[in-house]
Amino acid sequence: MSSEDYPLDHILITGTEINYLFICSTKLWYFAKGITMEQESEWVDLGRFLHERRYGSEEKEVQVGRIKIDFIRKGDIIEVHEVKKSKSMEKAHEMQALYYLYYLKKLGINAKAVLHYPKLNETKEITLDGRENEIKKAIAEVKRIKSLPVPPEPVKSKKCLKCAYYELCWV
Ligand code: SF4
């Protein structure tokens, strides 16, 4: 994978796509092609419920260009906050947050990210320090998968049981 430094208007990918890269490349491909079935998933509803209940007073779903952040707090440094329901996809959450930081940096905004796991009462801070190549490689891989004419071959795993694309892959 390359670690090219992309101009902002060449990135054209979303945080969800980066997230899905670290869950399943087949899922990423379906999503990138506009096939969205997540609204049928009870897990998405649970995530929304947790988010509304706990962070109801924060400014929510802040859209910055192609990225949509759960909420932002402004202190000495801009903080982007993402609320997640479990740590089972922790790497995907982390890379999504890293992408937000990379994207904001391209806009001249230095920020840090905070992942919230309200069910576990835990938070995790993420910074871009020393990790730009990691996110650039992820961007290159998302671009490669999105350019494929057919979805990558599905690989069955535990993740499939909670995936909205289960029927597309396995039925
Ligand atoms: S069902 Fe499994 S293989 Fe298919 S998209 Fe979902 S996680 Fe990937």
Side-chain angles (χ1 to χ4, degrees):
M1 284 190 284
S2 98
S3 56
E4 186 181 342
D5 196 11
Y6 299 98
L8 193 57
D9 56 352
H10 284 202
I11 297 181
L12 302 178
I13 63 177
T14 66
T16 302
E17 288 170 341
I18 291 285
N19 182 308
Y20 284 0
L21 175 67
F22 292 89
I23 295 175
C24 169
S25 53
T26 313
K27 182 178 174 107
L28 165 60
W29 190 92
Y30 281 133
F31 178 80
K33 298 300 173 191
I35 303 167
T36 53
M37 301 167 80
E38 291 287 4
Q39 57 272 32
E40 291 173 15
S41 163
E42 60 182 300
W43 288 89
V44 171
D45 290 342
L46 173 63
R48 276 200 201 109
F49 172 74
L50 284 169
H51 189 245
E52 300 281 323
R53 202 175 54 156
R54 184 126 176 188
Y55 305 99
S57 61
E58 301 287 348
E59 192 184 348
K60 286 177 297 187
E61 303 232 311
V62 184
Q63 185 88 39
V64 185
R66 296 184 80 84
I67 62 173
K68 197 194 281 179
I69 297 163
D70 279 354
F71 62 91
I72 285 181
R73 281 185 186 143
K74 288 157 268 179
D76 296 341
I77 184 169
I78 296 285
E79 291 178 0
V80 304
H81 293 256
E82 284 289 303
V83 183
K84 304 296 183 186
K85 61 185 176 297
S86 85
K87 285 181 131 179
S88 61
M89 307 291 182
E90 196 175 5
K91 178 70 178 175
H93 301 158
E94 199 174 315
M95 294 306 291
Q96 181 178 3
L98 212 53
Y99 177 59
Y100 290 163
L101 299 181
Y102 178 74
Y103 194 98
L104 290 171
K105 189 177 174 190
K106 292 271 171 196
L107 290 169
I109 301 169
N110 279 323
K112 71 175 179 184
V114 183
L115 297 175
H116 294 258
Y117 295 98
K119 282 175 80 178
L120 303 168
N121 218 13
E122 285 182 27
T123 57
K124 181 172 187 179
E125 281 196 12
I126 314 278
T127 68
L128 196 55
D129 296 344
R131 302 189 67 181
E132 283 201 34
N133 274 347
E134 214 180 317
I135 195 63
K136 285 181 210 167
K137 284 178 184 170
I139 291 167
E141 185 61 1
V142 168
K143 284 169 167 271
R144 187 189 71 76
I145 290 168
K146 286 175 71 169
S147 72
L148 296 174
V150 291
E153 218 30 58
V155 177
K156 208 160 203 170
S157 74
K158 277 196 308 191
K159 296 170 192 169
C160 300
L161 297 173
K162 291 174 189 166
C163 178
Y165 296 112
Y166 185 91
E167 290 190 14
L168 280 179
C169 290
W170 306 114
V171 177

